[in-house]
Amino acid sequence: MKRFFAWGNRLHSGESSIPFVGKAKLWLAISGVLVILSLLVPLIAGFNFGIAFKGGSQFQVDHVTDTSSAKGEGIVTDVVPQSEPRLTPTSDTAVQIETNQLSDSQMQEVRDALVDGYDVKAEEVTSTFVGPEWGQDVTSKMIRALVIFVGIALVVMALYFRTWKMSVAAIVGLFVVMIVTMGIYSATGFEVTPEAVIGFLTVLSFSLYDTVVVFDKIRENTARFQDKRNLKFSELVNLGVNQTTVRSINTSVVSVLPIASILFLGVFLLGAGTLVDISLSLFIGTIVAAASTLFVASPLYALLRANEPAVREQEEAVRELRLKNGEADVPPVTHAEV
């Protein structure tokens, strides 16, 4: 831990540097490949949508002694072979079973079979039906919420930073988080539920927050950059990212640890489906969001401004000054202040 803090101090002072901007094209190329793969995977594997999106039948069985998937799914399959049951323990004495859309008679047969198979009272087995129209309505509302969120974020970022290039870089980073997270869900087969989408929207907020913190430091470093001759504009941007790297890592770790705890409790102890759905999307998204801020949004901002006349003039002036002083055209190794 002591070495980590010492490393963070070196990044902040400029003694050490991670080439976020210097290798911007590499990071963006890697991000582009990940985005393309994340777009292709759903076309091949699709998404494992939960019952709320695609419709179906759901059964809740309380006071059971066996919460294994084999038993519950076997009971349902024996009654309706094509039902494709999916069992989720909701506690150590209760299970939830989702199936494809069943008729009224099939649902009654399954309820009776669950009562007999688990040896519980009839009132301890409840069933619900989710129609495809309701699932389509949920899907449209989720998409609408996502579009509204991104639209508001774009406007707020543009007003806050007072430059469209920072806003565009932040939104591109946001889209990378969205697409890569969806690709991971598709590739792994994790179930997409309304709870997972809620967690996903929360992650987008975290991503924007992390980006704002980093961009604030970049804006501070590049203020009146035309008058600075110790670092080029791109190096000032890179220094700002490095100065906030440890903070981004710490924020992500602090966020991920309790999420991982909830995920562990939900999977191994409580078996609570809602906890698992929310915490899983938060866990994946938080990690992707932190990486996107450092390796996508920040380098992209530097590239978007690289061809501005003022930037090119300042960088050329710094380069000429270094050559005049007999120095290599690389940033000095220590810069406590800029």
Side-chain angles (χ1 to χ4, degrees), residues 31-42 47 146 171-186 200 204 288:
S31 301
V33 171
L34 291 176
V35 167
I36 293 173
L37 291 176
S38 298
L39 291 173
L40 291 177
V41 169
F47 289 102
L146 186 60
I171 296 301
V172 169
L174 196 66
F175 274 106
V176 170
V177 175
M178 292 165 52
I179 295 171
V180 172
T181 302
M182 289 189 295
I184 293 174
Y185 260 77
S186 176
F200 180 60
L204 296 185
V288 176

Side-chain angles (χ1 to χ4, degrees), residues 237-286:
V237 174
N238 194 72
L239 178 61
V241 184
N242 276 271
Q243 288 175 326
T244 53
T245 295
V246 172
R247 188 187 187 284
S248 294
I249 294 174
N250 288 338
T251 302
S252 300
V253 170
V254 169
S255 300
V256 165
L257 285 179
I259 294 171
S261 300
I262 296 173
L263 186 61
F264 174 82
L265 291 173
V267 172
F268 296 104
L269 297 181
L270 301 178
T274 300
L275 283 178
V276 173
D277 292 339
I278 293 179
S279 58
L280 183 60
S281 61
L282 288 173
F283 183 83
I284 295 173
T286 299

Side-chain angles (χ1 to χ4, degrees), residues 41-303:
V41 169
L43 296 178
I44 300 173
F47 289 102
N48 179 21
F49 287 108
I51 189 174
F53 290 104
K54 63 182 181 181
S57 301
Q58 187 178 83
F59 301 87
Q60 177 74 27
V61 187
D62 299 320
H63 300 100
V64 302
T65 57
D66 186 354
T67 60
S68 65
S69 299
K71 180 171 183 176
E73 293 175 0
I75 293 173
V76 177
T77 304
D78 289 341
V79 178
V80 186
Q82 305 302 321
S83 60
E84 298 182 7
R86 299 168 298 280
L87 183 146
T88 303
T90 55
S91 72
D92 56 353
T93 60
V95 297
Q96 184 181 86
I97 303 174
E98 296 179 356
T99 69
N100 296 336
Q101 184 176 337
L102 304 179
S103 64
D104 292 341
S105 60
Q106 288 175 325
M107 290 186 68
Q108 186 59 50
E109 291 175 5
V110 171
R111 287 187 73 244
D112 294 339
L114 291 172
V115 170
D116 294 336
Y118 281 108
D119 191 23
V120 296
K121 298 178 181 179
E123 58 267 24
E124 292 173 344
V125 179
T126 58
S127 60
T128 56
F129 171 76
V130 178
E133 293 81 9
W134 191 84
Q136 292 173 2
D137 183 55
V138 170
T139 303
S140 63
K141 288 181 178 179
M142 290 295 182
I143 294 175
R144 192 180 310 127
L146 186 60
V147 172
I148 292 173
F149 177 90
V150 173
I152 293 175
L154 183 61
V155 173
V156 171
M157 295 291 282
L159 293 175
Y160 181 79
F161 289 116
R162 298 184 295 279
T163 167
W164 66 269
K165 293 183 178 180
M166 269 195 173
S167 179
V168 167
I171 296 301
V172 169
L174 196 66
F175 274 106
V176 170
V177 175
M178 292 165 52
I179 295 171
V180 172
T181 302
M182 289 189 295
I184 293 174
Y185 260 77
S186 176
T188 56
F190 293 144
E191 190 175 42
V192 180
T193 65
E195 293 82 7
V197 175
I198 291 172
F200 180 60
L201 291 175
T202 304
V203 164
L204 296 185
S205 299
F206 170 82
S207 177
L208 284 178
Y209 165 76
D210 196 41
T211 302
V212 166
V213 170
V214 176
F215 278 8
D216 261 340
K217 188 60 181 177
I218 291 175
R219 185 171 60 173
E220 177 186 329
N221 284 1
T222 56
R224 298 184 299 277
F225 70 90
Q226 297 96 328
D227 301 327
K228 297 178 181 179
R229 293 296 180 265
N230 58 334
L231 289 175
K232 297 179 180 178
F233 175 84
S234 58
E235 295 165 354
L236 291 169
V237 174
N238 194 72
L239 178 61
V241 184
N242 276 271
Q243 288 175 326
T244 53
T245 295
V246 172
R247 188 187 187 284
S248 294
I249 294 174
N250 288 338
T251 302
S252 300
V253 170
V254 169
S255 300
V256 165
L257 285 179
I259 294 171
S261 300
I262 296 173
L263 186 61
F264 174 82
L265 291 173
V267 172
F268 296 104
L269 297 181
L270 301 178
T274 300
L275 283 178
V276 173
D277 292 339
I278 293 179
S279 58
L280 183 60
S281 61
L282 288 173
F283 183 83
I284 295 173
T286 299
I287 296 173
V288 176
S292 176
T293 298
L294 298 175
F295 293 98
V296 178
S298 302
L300 179 60
Y301 171 68
L303 286 182

